[in-house]
Amino acid sequence: MTTSNAEAAVTEPTAPEPRPSNFIRDIILDDLKTNKYEGRVQTRFPPEPNGYLHIGHAKAIFLDFGLADEFRGHTNLRFDDTNPEKEETEYVDSIMEDVRWLGYHWDGLFYASDYFDQLYQWALKLIRDGKAYVDDLSAEEIRKHRGTLTEPGKDSPHRNRSVEENLDLFERMRKGEFPDGSRVLRAKIDMASPNLNMRDPVMYRILHAEHHRTGNKWCIYPMYDYAHGQSDSLEHVTHSMCTLEFEDHRPLYNWFIQQLGIFPSQQIEFDRLNLTYTLLSKRKLLQLVKEGRVRGWDDPRMPTISAIRRRGYTSEAIRNFCLSIGVSKTTGVIELAMLEHFVREDLNKRSLRVMAVLRPLKVVIDNYPVGQVEEMEAVNNPEDESAGKRKVPFSRELYIEQDDFREDPPKQYYRLSPGREVRLRYGYFITCTSVVKNDKGEVVEVHCTYDPATRGGNAPDGRKVKATIHWVSGSHAVNAEVRVYENLFVKENPSDVVTGQDFTANLNPNSLEIIAEAKVEPSLVQAKPGDRYQFERLGYFCVDPDSTPGKPVFNRTVALKDTWAKVEKKIDKKK
Ligand code: ATP
Ligand code: MG
């Protein structure tokens, strides 16, 4: 339950603040009005611990915890661990860390495996009631018997076994007498149902596999559909939110609850989050990790919560994004740019501004005294006066961005070029007088003069310059590694491939650029992993845990909006 805000709300018995509503919230409001659950709101977040959580899960978490919080309800974290072969404790731990980081606290912590005994007892009851039977058909045969959307299914020859025989076989399944896949327990519903999920769905399968919590106690495991609703019911979940693909499973969810006569939890389906240039499927993300396409689950190019945290996204930005995308009954695709917008918006408020030069070009100010160092006063965050000011050393030799100098400036390029005067942020006006080139004819050093009367950035005679560029002092700069990320996929829909290819064909070969020798201002030598900054004019950056003392590593979280790139594009189009 509860973010810190919501905790405050608990002590304050006033009506919830008006919020943009959505259809799930309306259902809850209605249930509260009719007193359907005695005024209770109980939700759960039910991840399967078979991978790391991604931004799609953040949407589900936001709904499950957020709606319960709003109505002073409760939320359980329940691991849906019915699939022992794919599940690991590493995933359990990461999921708990990610939910906490997103700002939520669960009330109960449960595992579907906590309920294996109860589920087994309920299976016996269904057998005794003539509502379940052991089937000897193979998975393939069961599929063939299932029929299609237009044709009814066929009864299994084992459908009408006696209760005694079913009880005996099911007991022997549990004891481990049969090999994997040789038998299943099925619900006896209706092989002609128009809903394929109701055509005698499998409840239990045989699997001689060690489970991360129950060890070797069980060699039969319940299927998702048999475990989920009953787990909800056991926890007295009132509103069980899941994604739209489970809509057709709802009749089955209700059927089990009705047959067993247990607490009537209610399943509500919503649209899953899809993002452009992004894959949100644990299975595919695992493939990227296993094939070494990325550096791990928390590689900052991944859409996992742990990756975007490492990259520098804030949990506030993610919650604001989730609030803004809302929830509906039709699946669409959200622009990745929208998520980035919320990240920028939040980082703009909280990040300290610093100066860093990613691709250094040396500038020598010929008329500046050799050996002199001045401490220039710089504003830490124009959005937050309380962030204060700092001193940045200025000296005769500086680094500026290679991009901020052009020997032959195109039209509308106002930054440094021969004969041109520009402002150094928090420094002086400088004018380029000459350049030094290497054997290949590339500019390796720019010589300038400065106007001592412009200290702080203004000319007493009122003359203007059209550009202000950032810099770091050559002898004071700290070397840093900077990792610049682009989209992991080149296509808006990464799954859009020709036959014979898989989504890896759409991986962006330039998704990671490592800049080994960037220069950052000396205040950053103390930066700690997780610290976030705005590098002036470049974007937002976050210190990576790979940093070592004296050699920070920065991840680019997100670029600032690049107006020059837009101008350049327009010019290119005109050509
Ligand atoms: P994946 O397809 O990534 O493997 P999943 O649905 O199998 O996801 P679960 O661990 O079963 O993953 O999901 C836990 C909860 O998160 C479920 O309620 C599920 O509906 C929800 N969820 C998963 N993916 C998304 C998404 N893209 N958008 C919104 N909710 C999601
Ligand atoms: Mg799943």
Side-chain angles (χ1 to χ4, degrees):
M1 189 192 90
T2 66
T3 61
S4 45
N5 287 342
E7 253 158 357
V10 173
T11 55
E12 213 179 283
T14 51
E17 260 179 54
R19 286 200 193 185
S21 205
N22 59 56
F23 79 94
I24 301 181
R25 194 172 171 276
D26 291 343
I27 293 174
I28 295 177
L29 284 170
D30 221 51
D31 292 344
L32 289 173
K33 216 181 285 166
T34 60
N35 212 25
K36 185 165 174 185
Y37 297 105
E38 284 118 27
R40 270 186 338 107
V41 176
Q42 170 77 53
T43 64
R44 90 291 170 252
F45 173 61
E48 185 180 350
N50 61 347
Y52 281 60
L53 296 183
H54 53 61
I55 181 79
H57 294 110
K59 172 174 175 171
I61 290 170
F62 179 78
L63 288 171
D64 294 330
F65 286 87
L67 284 167
D69 282 352
E70 185 184 352
F71 298 104
R72 285 167 225 151
H74 294 91
T75 306
N76 293 338
L77 174 60
R78 185 202 313 138
F79 290 101
D80 191 349
D81 57 350
T82 51
N83 202 352
E85 285 173 313
K86 291 189 184 154
E87 294 159 3
E88 285 175 31
T89 325
E90 175 196 347
Y91 299 139
V92 169
D93 295 341
S94 77
I95 289 169
M96 294 202 274
E97 186 184 353
D98 290 348
V99 172
R100 277 194 213 105
W101 180 75
L102 283 170
Y104 297 106
H105 305 278
W106 50 88
D107 293 286
L109 174 62
F110 298 110
Y111 295 80
S113 54
D114 295 338
Y115 308 134
F116 281 177
D117 282 305
Q118 178 64 72
L119 291 169
Y120 181 76
Q121 292 303 322
W122 277 336
L124 293 178
K125 173 179 162 52
L126 290 175
I127 294 174
R128 277 189 228 107
D129 292 349
K131 300 284 169 54
Y133 62 97
V134 173
D135 198 350
D136 306 351
L137 294 185
S138 67
E140 183 52 31
E141 287 165 321
I142 290 179
R143 206 171 304 129
K144 279 189 195 149
H145 276 70
R146 184 165 290 140
T148 64
L149 285 174
T150 49
E151 280 168 48
K154 274 198 311 223
D155 284 3
S156 160
H158 312 288
R159 196 171 197 265
N160 291 316
R161 276 182 162 141
S162 69
V163 168
E164 289 68 34
E165 193 183 357
N166 280 319
L167 285 172
D168 174 61
L169 284 170
F170 188 50
E171 171 70 358
R172 288 166 60 198
M173 277 170 64
R174 183 186 64 77
K175 281 188 178 156
E177 286 187 23
F178 309 121
D180 289 0
S182 59
R183 288 192 161 85
V184 291
L185 184 72
R186 298 179 73 176
K188 194 169 180 176
I189 309 180
D190 178 6
M191 289 306 293
S193 169
N195 183 339
L196 270 74
N197 294 299
M198 299 299 273
R199 293 184 187 171
D200 292 10
V202 173
M203 293 165 55
Y204 271 92
R205 58 187 175 140
I206 301 174
L207 197 64
H208 293 264
E210 188 169 313
H211 186 278
H212 77 122
R213 294 190 80 239
T214 58
N216 292 309
K217 177 173 177 193
W218 297 91
C219 63
I220 54 171
Y221 288 95
M223 305 300 288
Y224 171 90
D225 279 327
Y226 179 64
H228 202 89
Q230 280 73 272
S231 303
D232 283 346
S233 178
L234 282 166
E235 293 170 21
H236 286 207
V237 167
T238 56
H239 302 85
S240 175
M241 276 83 83
C242 62
T243 38
L244 279 175
E245 64 272 23
F246 292 101
E247 196 163 16
D248 290 344
H249 296 237
R250 192 182 345 130
L252 181 56
Y253 180 101
N254 292 335
W255 188 86
F256 283 125
I257 285 177
Q258 275 156 15
Q259 300 309 313
L260 295 167
I262 55 180
F263 181 85
S265 300
Q266 142 177 237
Q267 178 182 298
I268 303 165
E269 309 84 15
F270 64 91
D271 58 325
R272 68 188 295 120
L273 173 67
N274 295 303
L275 274 180
T276 55
Y277 303 102
T278 308
L279 274 179
L280 297 179
S281 149
K282 282 181 284 186
R283 187 177 57 77
K284 290 178 183 168
L285 297 178
L286 176 63
Q287 185 182 335
L288 293 175
V289 173
K290 280 202 169 147
E291 292 179 3
R293 312 281 187 154
V294 292
R295 293 175 166 192
W297 282 101
D298 68 346
D299 183 310
R301 291 168 292 177
M302 292 277 272
T304 57
I305 305 293
S306 54
I308 60 187
R309 172 170 62 234
R310 181 171 180 175
R311 182 158 168 167
Y313 283 32
T314 61
S315 49
E316 288 82 353
I318 295 168
R319 291 203 302 266
N320 291 340
F321 168 73
C322 290
L323 179 64
S324 147
I325 56 176
V327 64
S328 85
K329 274 280 186 191
T330 43
T331 303
V333 184
I334 304 280
E335 298 279 343
L336 180 59
M338 182 174 172
L339 174 59
E340 291 178 343
H341 162 79
F342 281 96
V343 173
R344 267 191 212 100
E345 186 187 64
D346 187 51
L347 291 177
N348 179 45
K349 283 183 267 176
R350 64 169 73 229
S351 307
L352 299 184
R353 273 58 169 172
V354 292
M355 291 197 283
V357 172
L358 300 193
R359 294 170 187 84
L361 174 63
K362 191 168 169 186
V363 169
V364 181
I365 304 172
D366 292 313
N367 61 340
Y368 194 86
V370 177
Q372 176 171 310
V373 178
E374 286 179 87
E375 296 288 341
M376 309 311 249
E377 193 170 68
V379 175
N380 284 332
N381 185 355
E383 303 287 319
D384 175 11
E385 217 177 302
S386 72
K389 294 186 175 161
R390 70 185 185 289
K391 303 279 191 206
V392 186
F394 185 91
S395 64
R396 187 171 190 264
E397 293 192 1
L398 310 170
Y399 291 111
I400 65 165
E401 213 64 66
Q402 286 170 17
D403 245 12
D404 283 339
F405 177 82
R406 293 280 173 94
E407 200 178 7
D408 295 307
K411 253 193 200 159
Q412 297 185 51
Y413 183 94
Y414 300 116
R415 295 175 249 167
L416 199 61
S417 57
R420 170 87 49 79
E421 185 171 51
V422 300
R423 176 189 293 108
L424 291 176
R425 179 93 162 136
Y426 302 121
Y428 294 98
F429 284 12
I430 56 168
T431 306
C432 173
T433 50
S434 64
V435 300
V436 177
K437 294 184 182 180
N438 63 12
D439 300 346
K440 290 183 243 162
E442 297 159 348
V443 176
V444 291
E445 202 173 292
V446 176
H447 284 256
C448 296
T449 56
Y450 85 117
D451 176 356
T454 58
R455 193 187 152 129
N458 287 305
D461 63 6
R463 77 182 187 278
K464 299 272 183 251
V465 289
K466 278 197 168 157
T468 302
I469 65 178
H470 63 276
W471 51 274
V472 292
S473 166
S475 54
H476 300 90
V478 173
N479 283 334
E481 178 178 319
V482 176
R483 299 173 183 171
V484 176
Y485 304 103
E486 297 294 340
N487 294 341
L488 187 52
F489 293 98
V490 289
K491 282 204 183 156
E492 272 199 21
N493 173 7
S495 301
D496 176 15
V497 287
V498 296
T499 31
Q501 287 185 331
D502 78 351
F503 65 92
T504 55
N506 287 328
L507 279 166
N508 178 2
N510 304 315
S511 59
L512 167 64
E513 182 193 358
I514 297 178
I515 298 171
E517 291 290 316
K519 304 280 183 187
V520 303
E521 65 169 68
S523 68
L524 290 180
V525 76
Q526 293 153 358
K528 294 181 306 299
D531 286 353
R532 302 185 184 92
Y533 298 93
Q534 185 195 99
F535 289 180
E536 293 214 18
R537 301 178 60 231
L538 298 174
Y540 295 96
F541 292 77
C542 180
V543 182
D544 192 85
D546 285 349
S547 299
T548 51
K551 177 90 194 244
V553 176
F554 290 92
N555 295 310
R556 187 174 76 183
T557 310
V558 64
L560 297 175
K561 272 176 223 153
D562 186 352
T563 45
W564 172 245
K566 276 184 204 150
V567 173
E568 211 158 31
K569 235 186 228 165
K570 268 187 208 153
I571 294 171
D572 281 349
K573 265 189 197 159
K574 276 186 201 156
K575 274 183 196 164

